[in-house]
Amino acid sequence: MSKLHDTWGTRLFGVINYLLLAGAAFLCILPLINVLAVSLSSSHAANANLVGLWPVDFTIQSYKVILSRPEVLKAFWISTERTLLGVLLNNVLTILMAYPLAKSAKQFTGRHVYMWGMIFVMLFNGGLVPTYIIVHDLGLLNSMWALVLPGAVPIFSVILMMNFLKQLPSEIEEAAFMDGASYFTSLSRIIVPLSMPVIATVTLFHFVGHWNDWFSGLLYMTDISKYPLQTMLQSVVKGNDIMTLDAAKLYADVSDRTLKGAQVFVTALPILVLYPFLQKYFTKGIVLGSVKG
Amino acid sequence: MNRIKRRLATKEWQLHLMIAPGVVFLILFSYLPLYGILIAFKEFLPSKGIWASPWVGLKYFDFMMKLPDVWRVTNNTIYIAGLKILLGFPVPIGIALMLNEVRRSFFKKGVQTIIYLPHFLSWVILAGLILDVFSLTGIVNSFLGWFGIEPFYYLGDNRSFPWIIIATDIWKNFGWGTVIYLAALTGIDPALYESSVIDGANRWKQTLHITIPGIVPIIILTAILSLGNVLNAGFEQIFNLYNPLVMDRGDILDTYVYRVAFQETNWSLSTMVGLIKSVVNSVLIIAGYWLAYRITKYRVF
């Protein structure tokens, strides 16, 4: 009797559990599906508030309008360029900093000084205005470098990779050192190939960080034609982008609402395309980061 | 062995050379701005530069303490950030425990894939979505319309705005927040479950006596570390969602610092407010790390 009762209780619990989780997942994806459907609907349907989870009067006119604007294509290119440059710089600096920091203070005099120097700026920084003044005084305003140089050292990634390297047995390098190899040779021939899983993880961290960043564009680009895509979206979303409002009046099938939706998805596209990799490697990074050497 | 050590000692300069580029960037963009903090104690004139601007001592500190705006935004910051921590904290734990009970791995993976997604999208993208779904003709108002509730602009109202901010922040982060608990759950020894079955424990008893105690250390750790965020109400989120109608309850320290600098161009006041916030924040974070170490013996570094 009690066994039967248990089974039913467990089953009921199981069903409720599945339903609640499915509901949570649905809530997470709902705004995306809804706005995607709006962006693919006619302006009439969108403004009459007829669109739920499926496009009404399906049309890709909004995307055509967005992608025919040279400003959008230019912003897409600026974002691509800064992401490639930024990821490259972040990766090189992560590797070059994590390797020495993973050595003991005996092998690397001053390790603690470097380490604390890095941790200090993680805890305390000059803040908005002083950083802006430095970037301004270095003559970086309106230049691509303002988007990549201030965040060139990704401290979190350095610590992540350092913890990974600390776990590697030191014998791995010893044979090479016996043969007279330099630290540079060991790093490029032995350590980097062994660290590929971590490098893949931090590469994706840096990719998402650069692609998603909109604030440095807003701060350091006084010329709006130099905005990266996310900063451009920011002004579209906040209603500061007059061109979008004009386009909404110019074409019959589109409205301010469908255009904004389309701009959101054009901006999110690279993240959505790479999402399966992002999910896998980000999860790995969390697990790697919580393992201490 | 010793020969290697001696050989490596002569090569130590290579390690310093490797770390040098990173150090240069940190000096330029992290340490030089510390010198810029001086303008909080000066009357900053952009034409003169930081050094030549005249000293004013604590003028801007006194000014700040008397400014009603500062107290308003500090209140809002603590209110929003505190509720985010308080209400957002249990959600990923609950979802992780629920996911842990799912035996069909395709369902579990599917749910995980979907709930992690908002974490990877910027607040600009999410603000684009949120502004649409909460607009007067958006899906939220259509849905509430079925129950006879009149359309209402929730993002333009001082009472509802903070709650939309709290709810959408939880919405963005709860899924990703489960990752750390799910990782901790896989670390629980399966032998514990096997022996509990022999002792006659059902699933509920197992959850209560094995699963939850197994993740208590990580729960305590995340709770302590989240205290460091009491002054971070979410600049990127609020900056993209607020509007002049909700300044009373929606404006926070970070948005205020931004506006004072770039709209009112009062650089010295902005730096002073930012500095005080930064100092208090660092103290909170360090206290959190220290507590975490004392209580759970976990070293963040």
Side-chain angles (χ1 to χ4, degrees), chain B residues 98-116:
Chain B
M98 286 163 71
L99 280 169
N100 193 46
E101 296 301 320
V102 172
R103 292 286 166 264
R104 280 174 231 268
S105 78
F106 81 93
F107 180 82
K108 187 174 172 179
K109 283 211 178 99
V111 169
Q112 283 174 295
T113 301
I114 294 172
I115 65 178
Y116 294 169

Side-chain angles (χ1 to χ4, degrees), chain B residues 259-270:
Chain B
R259 282 201 321 280
V260 169
F262 293 99
Q263 285 170 18
E264 298 171 24
T265 60
N266 193 339
W267 308 99
S268 295
L269 176 64
S270 173

Side-chain angles (χ1 to χ4, degrees), chain B residues 100-230:
Chain B
N100 193 46
E101 296 301 320
V102 172
R103 292 286 166 264
R104 280 174 231 268
S105 78
F106 81 93
F107 180 82
K108 187 174 172 179
K109 283 211 178 99
V111 169
Q112 283 174 295
T113 301
I114 294 172
I115 65 178
Y116 294 169
L117 182 58
H119 172 79
F120 293 86
L121 301 172
S122 70
W123 269 118
V124 176
I125 303 260
L126 298 181
L129 302 178
I130 291 163
L131 288 167
D132 187 293
V133 297
F134 282 103
S135 71
L136 281 173
T137 52
I139 197 168
V140 171
N141 271 316
S142 319
F143 177 75
L144 294 174
W146 293 351
F147 302 96
I149 298 169
E150 289 291 307
F152 185 74
Y153 190 49
Y154 296 96
L155 286 163
D157 180 78
N158 270 308
R159 268 166 309 158
S160 52
F161 183 81
W163 293 103
I164 304 274
I165 293 297
I166 294 157
T168 53
D169 182 70
I170 294 173
W171 170 76
K172 182 188 202 279
N173 292 314
F174 86 89
W176 186 247
T178 61
V179 172
I180 190 160
Y181 299 111
L182 288 171
L185 284 169
T186 56
I188 297 174
D189 185 1
L192 289 174
Y193 291 105
E194 284 155 24
S195 56
S196 77
V197 172
I198 298 167
D199 293 342
N202 59 19
R203 291 274 284 275
W204 175 242
K205 285 235 164 89
Q206 288 180 343
T207 306
L208 213 59
H209 297 293
I210 300 170
T211 315
I212 293 179
I215 59 168
V216 160
I218 196 87
I219 291 177
I220 295 174
L221 182 66
T222 35
I224 298 167
L225 294 181
S226 69
L227 292 180
N229 278 327
V230 174

Side-chain angles (χ1 to χ4, degrees), chain A residues 61-75:
Chain A
Q61 192 61 34
S62 295
Y63 288 87
K64 276 189 183 160
V65 172
I66 297 277
L67 293 174
S68 67
R69 284 182 61 191
E71 301 89 358
V72 176
L73 299 179
K74 193 179 173 206

Side-chain angles (χ1 to χ4, degrees), chain A residues 6 10 13 17-18 20-22 24-32 34-35 38 46-47 49 51-53 89 93 96-97 99-101 103 106-110 114 116-126 128-135 137-138 140 149-150 152-153 155 159 174 177-184 187 208 212-215 218-219 230 233-234 237-238 257 264-265 267-268 271-272 275 278-279 282-283 286-287 289-290 292, chain B residues 1 3-4 7-9 11-19 21-23 25-26 28-37 39 44 50 95 97-99 101-104 107 109-129 131-133 135-139 142 171 174 176 179-180 183 202-203 235-236 238-243 254 257-258 261-262 267 270-271 275 278-279 281-282 285-286 289 298-301:
Chain A
D6 256 348
T10 312
F13 166 78
N17 192 32
Y18 274 69
L20 285 175
L21 285 172
F26 180 67
L27 265 182
C28 272
I29 199 91
L30 177 74
L32 277 107
N34 175 239
V35 178
V38 166
N47 294 343
N49 203 11
V51 184
L53 301 178
L89 190 66
L93 289 174
L96 286 180
M97 291 190 88
Y99 179 68
L101 288 173
K103 300 286 173 209
K106 267 187 201 154
Q107 277 182 70
F108 182 40
T109 327
Y114 287 117
W116 283 107
M118 205 173 68
I119 288 169
F120 176 76
V121 297
M122 216 163 104
L123 296 176
F124 189 81
N125 56 64
L128 185 67
V129 175
T131 311
Y132 177 83
I133 293 174
I134 295 299
V135 173
D137 288 357
L138 290 169
L140 298 179
L149 295 186
V153 178
I155 297 175
I159 292 176
E174 260 160 26
F177 288 142
M178 206 92 86
D179 295 341
S182 69
Y183 279 117
F184 284 101
L187 176 61
V208 172
N212 277 349
D213 174 52
W214 54 275
F215 189 58
L218 182 68
L219 207 53
Q230 296 268 354
L233 177 67
Q234 205 264 340
V237 163
K238 294 287 271 181
R257 194 174 172 200
V264 163
F265 281 94
T267 308
I271 300 280
L272 296 176
Y275 182 55
L278 297 178
Q279 192 203 345
F282 267 59
T283 322
I286 290 283
V287 178
S290 56
K292 295 278 159 175
Chain B
M1 221 45 228
R3 231 183 38 207
I4 298 185
R7 230 185 238 182
L8 284 179
K11 288 175 185 162
E12 205 193 304
W13 60 271
Q14 294 174 348
L15 295 174
H16 292 275
L17 185 64
M18 271 180 205
I19 206 169
V23 171
F25 280 113
L26 286 178
L28 272 180
F29 295 103
S30 299
Y31 281 94
L32 269 183
L34 295 181
Y35 156 73
I37 289 175
I39 68 173
F44 180 59
I50 298 171
I95 299 282
L97 288 174
M98 286 163 71
L99 280 169
E101 296 301 320
V102 172
R103 292 286 166 264
R104 280 174 231 268
F107 180 82
K109 283 211 178 99
V111 169
Q112 283 174 295
T113 301
I114 294 172
I115 65 178
Y116 294 169
L117 182 58
H119 172 79
F120 293 86
L121 301 172
S122 70
W123 269 118
V124 176
I125 303 260
L126 298 181
L129 302 178
L131 288 167
D132 187 293
V133 297
S135 71
L136 281 173
T137 52
I139 197 168
S142 319
W171 170 76
F174 86 89
W176 186 247
V179 172
I180 190 160
N202 59 19
R203 291 274 284 275
F235 172 77
E236 300 212 350
I238 292 179
F239 189 78
N240 287 312
L241 287 172
Y242 78 165
N243 54 63
D254 294 327
V257 166
Y258 177 86
F262 293 99
W267 308 99
S270 173
T271 307
L275 172 66
S278 201
V279 169
N281 214 22
S282 308
I285 293 172
I286 292 167
Y289 287 177
Y298 177 88
R299 271 181 190 281
V300 179
F301 302 117

